Amino acid sequence: MRADNLRVERAAVAATELSLSRCAELYTAVPVVDHGADLLVYQVEPFRVAQIQVKGTTRGLKVFRQYSQSPMIVSYVLDPLGAAEVFLLTGGQAWNLPDKYIASGGRAGDHHPDNATYNWPSRTRLLSSMLAQHRATPQRWLDVFEQTVTPAIP
């Protein structure tokens, strides 16, 4: 089971890097030590950087409150061992998905704002349509980078 999870995680990181490579204005780096970010995305001039947390999944989708606590890009990679669709959200947008899901008519009875996580055991049509608004494109990369980037270093 651990080996399968590792394959999914690595494939998700690779899919995120490939997606980012299509955005000519931004670059990626892999942190030497894991301090909560799987990748870093940066701009050269002026030098600015943002953290990326990559979450790969073959079935459902899980959101984590901790990613909304500081500026961060969450890259959800659906089916990383197959078609590998990449969706980009800020940590706050990811954490607010269950509330928006409920507001859009979805059922998430076990969601509570005090929980540290929320898990969809499978991806419903509603959830898929909500994620589609965050599909990784060069412009989406630039938009989410601007929302999560640290200030420029003089």
Side-chain angles (χ1 to χ4, degrees), residues 129-145:
S129 71
M130 291 172 63
L131 287 173
Q133 301 169 23
H134 303 282
R135 188 174 310 281
T137 64
Q139 186 59 51
R140 181 70 187 151
W141 272 109
L142 292 171
D143 291 346
V144 77
F145 178 77

Side-chain angles (χ1 to χ4, degrees), residues 9-20:
E9 288 174 26
R10 289 191 177 185
V13 168
T16 299
E17 289 179 297
L18 179 61
S19 171
L20 179 59

Side-chain angles (χ1 to χ4, degrees), residues 31 33 75 102 116:
V33 178
S75 172
I102 292 166

Side-chain angles (χ1 to χ4, degrees), residues 47-146:
F47 183 80
R48 301 184 305 159
V49 65
Q51 299 180 74
I52 305 173
Q53 180 58 239
V54 179
K55 301 312 277 176
T57 180
T58 57
R59 287 188 300 272
L61 185 74
K62 193 167 191 174
V63 296
F64 299 83
R65 174 188 290 132
Q66 73 189 46
Y67 301 144
S68 68
Q69 304 299 311
S70 63
M72 178 175 291
I73 297 169
V74 178
S75 172
Y76 282 116
V77 183
L78 308 185
D79 304 317
L81 300 174
E85 294 181 274
V86 180
F87 302 92
L88 306 171
L89 294 85
T90 67
Q93 290 169 335
W95 181 242
N96 288 328
L97 270 177
D99 292 328
K100 289 189 174 195
Y101 185 79
I102 292 166
S104 298
R107 298 176 72 196
D110 54 342
H111 170 64
H112 190 277
D114 293 335
N115 294 345
T117 63
Y118 181 74
N119 185 54
W120 281 274
S122 63
R123 289 186 302 272
T124 64
R125 273 187 256 151
L126 176 58
L127 181 58
S128 295
S129 71
M130 291 172 63
L131 287 173
Q133 301 169 23
H134 303 282
R135 188 174 310 281
T137 64
Q139 186 59 51
R140 181 70 187 151
W141 272 109
L142 292 171
D143 291 346
V144 77
F145 178 77
E146 286 300 327

